[in-house]
Amino acid sequence: MNLTDRLQAARGRTVVPDPSDGPASAAVPARPLPAPPMAPPTDALARLKDRVGKALFERMGSRMNDPSLSEDQLRTIVLGELDEVVEEENVPLSTEERLRLTAELADDVLGYGPLQRLLDDDAVSEIMVNGPDNIYVERSGKLTRTGVCFTSEEHLRRVIDRIVSRVGRRIDESSPLVDARLADGSRVNAIIPPLAFSGSTLTIRKFSKDPFTVDDLIAFGTLSPEMAELLRACVEARLNVIVSGGTGTGKTTLLNVLSSFIPDGERIVTIEDAVELQLQQDHVVRLESRPPNIEGKGAITIRDLVRNSLRMRPDRIVVGECRGGESLDMLQAMNTGHDGSLSTVHANSPRDGIARLETLVLMAGMDLPLRAIREQIASAVDVVVQLTRLRDGTRRVTHVTEVQGMEGETVTLQDAFLFDYSAGVDASGKFLGKPVPTGVRPRFTDRFDELGIRLSPRVFGVAEPAGTRSW
């Protein structure tokens, strides 16, 4: 067993297999190994860990955040220094105690301290740190408080600094909030005092190491097979799609799945605040915005990137989220030959999504009349897909809605699918309903016919003739 395996065993974890070793459907969460026998922690052992940790950080100095060092190089240096510091303490420790002490300190220095176990837990989808001793996680859509904590505010700040420095960001009193990401793509938001009154606050949205596929979302109940077939056709037919939903409803996950329907051979440009999308195609250009430097200069916004992307000969533009004036540039791109674009917006219904886009366009600072904005939206956006997190914690697509055009001053919408709540809930409180077709055939299906894209009749609630195959 190598050193890494010994450290993981000391933490009470098994080594997670590489996804390439087998199909995603065969993967199951690793069952933790029994923790090795160890005497109950004592004040003396806690003080030893504190002393060793401080000495290790002093010895490492600026090397901790040296971008020229790879993770493997940094690990080798830290483990060497750690062995020397423990030896210098000359405290008698059992083999199990020494392994446990080394593992916890390695987590503090090389990993993310007490958060490391939560990050390694595949059942945890979100980690919320509300100060050094108040940490919550989300499992299966439910929030629970954990028993782990940081030793101090300083300890928490060290972990935050490690996260943001690895992606070239900074966080201090002059710039007390930051968006960043972990090496595995997980999204991080950090905010420190004086803005965070109860102590530094850290929120980590974890993403699956293997991106979810459309079959996964069907298995979860997020999509129905009929809904998935319609959305696949929409992407292949180069319709412009907006994914609408509240915070934590799975918009990025669904955007990933929709992007997987883009045919190979097309040039895709993705634009995000912090890179999260995991596109599987070969020809993908990933752009990321940049905050201002310490002098308040050098910021590159999403809007700047959207404008620049138009000069990059994109076949598809994927904007992780429209949240400002870039919405106007995105709509103009959709209206000027960049069909098949995808984006997300924060809203609670398709109608609210349209209203939200109107507001975002006004943030561009252009003095446009409201009717002109609505005409831009009606002509640019073809489909709104609404995601909702239900009371039972599940995430469901509750609407697939066509944007039909304008009637007077109003953007007209027509639902193709709606979630049926009438089935109620089971004994455990889980919703029994599912998305059902409204029976109305969207106008954009005429485009499918022109392109030779075939939909099975069952998509719109019509029984399929015997012997007919669907995709």
Side-chain angles (χ1 to χ4, degrees):
M1 182 181 289
N2 62 32
L3 179 58
T4 299
D5 292 343
R6 292 205 309 273
L7 291 182
Q8 289 182 327
R11 298 183 191 108
R13 300 196 300 270
T14 56
V15 181
V16 179
D18 192 296
S20 63
D21 292 342
S25 60
V28 295
R31 177 174 295 174
L33 292 173
M38 178 178 173
T42 63
D43 289 341
L45 193 59
R47 289 196 297 271
L48 171 63
K49 179 185 172 184
D50 187 51
R51 288 198 308 272
V52 171
K54 288 180 179 178
L56 179 61
F57 275 102
E58 287 176 3
R59 292 174 71 128
M60 289 297 300
S62 61
R63 289 180 294 174
M64 284 300 308
N65 295 321
D66 186 351
S68 66
L69 291 176
S70 69
E71 287 292 334
D72 289 340
Q73 291 172 325
L74 183 61
R75 174 175 292 275
T76 301
I77 295 171
V78 167
L79 292 179
E81 295 281 3
L82 183 54
D83 280 341
E84 290 185 16
V85 173
V86 173
E87 287 294 338
E88 288 173 3
E89 284 291 328
N90 198 25
V91 176
L93 295 172
S94 69
T95 302
E96 292 80 10
E97 287 175 332
R98 186 183 179 99
L99 271 177
R100 182 68 62 86
L101 176 66
T102 303
E104 291 180 359
L105 285 167
D107 276 348
D108 284 346
V109 180
L110 296 169
Y112 303 108
L115 300 184
Q116 192 64 51
R117 293 188 181 188
L118 303 178
L119 289 166
D120 292 337
D121 186 346
D122 291 336
V124 173
S125 58
E126 193 139 8
I127 302 169
M128 290 143 280
V129 181
N130 308 328
D133 55 359
N134 192 5
I135 301 175
Y136 287 81
V137 296
E138 180 187 65
R139 289 187 177 93
S140 302
K142 302 293 184 181
L143 294 181
T144 56
R145 185 170 181 174
T146 70
V148 303
C149 62
F150 290 88
T151 57
S152 64
E153 170 70 16
E154 181 186 3
H155 186 194
L156 173 55
R157 284 290 297 275
R158 284 203 303 263
V159 170
I160 293 175
D161 287 338
R162 173 167 170 76
I163 291 172
V164 302
S165 65
R166 281 293 174 184
V167 291
R169 303 288 171 93
R170 64 183 179 86
I171 187 165
D172 51 37
E173 284 72 15
S174 64
S175 180
L177 53 89
V178 69
D179 287 313
R181 65 180 182 277
L182 302 182
D184 65 359
S186 298
R187 184 174 68 201
V188 178
N189 175 268
I191 181 168
I192 63 173
L195 300 188
F197 183 75
S198 58
S200 297
T201 300
L202 184 67
T203 308
I204 302 176
R205 172 76 56 81
K206 290 174 60 181
F207 292 101
S208 173
K209 295 179 179 65
D210 292 322
F212 288 127
T213 66
V214 64
D215 292 331
D216 292 325
L217 296 194
I218 291 173
F220 299 153
T222 303
L223 291 169
S224 69
E226 295 79 15
M227 189 182 287
E229 183 175 349
L230 178 61
L231 292 178
R232 179 189 291 272
C234 289
V235 175
E236 290 179 350
R238 302 182 66 86
L239 299 183
N240 295 317
V241 181
I242 297 292
V243 177
S244 169
T247 300
T249 54
K251 296 188 296 298
T252 302
T253 298
L254 182 57
L255 194 63
N256 259 325
V257 168
L258 293 179
S259 69
S260 71
F261 299 149
I262 298 175
D264 289 330
E266 296 193 16
R267 178 175 169 83
I268 307 167
V269 178
T270 69
I271 301 169
E272 303 172 83
D273 267 330
V275 169
E276 300 172 36
L277 294 172
Q278 299 168 291
L279 273 65
Q280 303 304 301
Q281 290 85 348
D282 292 329
H283 198 166
V284 178
V285 179
R286 307 171 78 189
L287 305 180
E288 184 178 56
S289 65
R290 185 178 71 186
N293 60 21
I294 196 168
E295 298 173 349
K297 299 177 181 179
I300 303 296
T301 66
I302 293 287
R303 188 171 190 187
D304 295 329
L305 295 177
V306 170
R307 288 174 173 173
N308 187 76
S309 71
L310 301 180
R311 305 183 184 99
M312 299 175 66
R313 199 261 179 219
D315 290 309
R316 310 266 186 159
I317 300 173
V318 181
V319 178
E321 182 183 341
C322 286
R323 62 179 71 179
E326 70 274 0
S327 301
L328 175 59
D329 302 283
M330 182 75 179
L331 292 174
Q332 289 177 332
M334 291 176 172
N335 274 323
T336 54
H338 296 89
D339 296 330
S341 297
L342 307 170
S343 188
T344 71
V345 68
H346 271 84
N348 294 323
S349 71
R351 176 62 64 186
D352 288 346
I354 297 300
R356 172 78 171 152
L357 284 175
E358 294 175 10
T359 303
L360 295 176
V361 170
L362 290 171
M363 291 171 65
M366 304 290 288
D367 190 17
L368 295 172
L370 190 56
R371 180 178 177 84
I373 295 173
R374 290 176 177 171
E375 286 176 346
Q376 280 272 336
I377 294 171
S379 60
V381 180
D382 298 302
V383 186
V384 179
V385 183
Q386 181 67 40
L387 272 162
T388 303
R389 182 158 64 173
L390 304 182
R391 291 196 308 274
D392 61 2
T394 59
R395 297 164 171 87
R396 306 291 184 93
V397 174
T398 54
H399 300 72
V400 175
T401 302
E402 177 186 22
V403 181
Q404 292 188 323
M406 292 279 292
E407 282 188 8
E409 298 290 325
T410 304
V411 178
T412 57
L413 306 177
Q414 176 61 57
D415 296 320
F417 281 88
L418 288 172
F419 188 82
D420 179 15
Y421 292 91
S422 62
V425 297
D426 62 15
S428 64
K430 186 174 182 178
F431 278 89
L432 299 173
K434 62 179 183 180
V436 296
T438 61
V440 178
R441 190 177 182 89
R443 297 175 184 172
F444 56 65
T445 55
D446 294 339
R447 187 165 176 174
F448 299 167
D449 296 334
E450 295 170 4
L451 298 172
I453 298 172
R454 178 185 169 277
L455 288 179
S456 54
R458 64 186 173 89
V459 170
F460 300 111
V462 179
E464 194 167 3
T468 303
R469 288 186 62 191
S470 59
W471 61 278

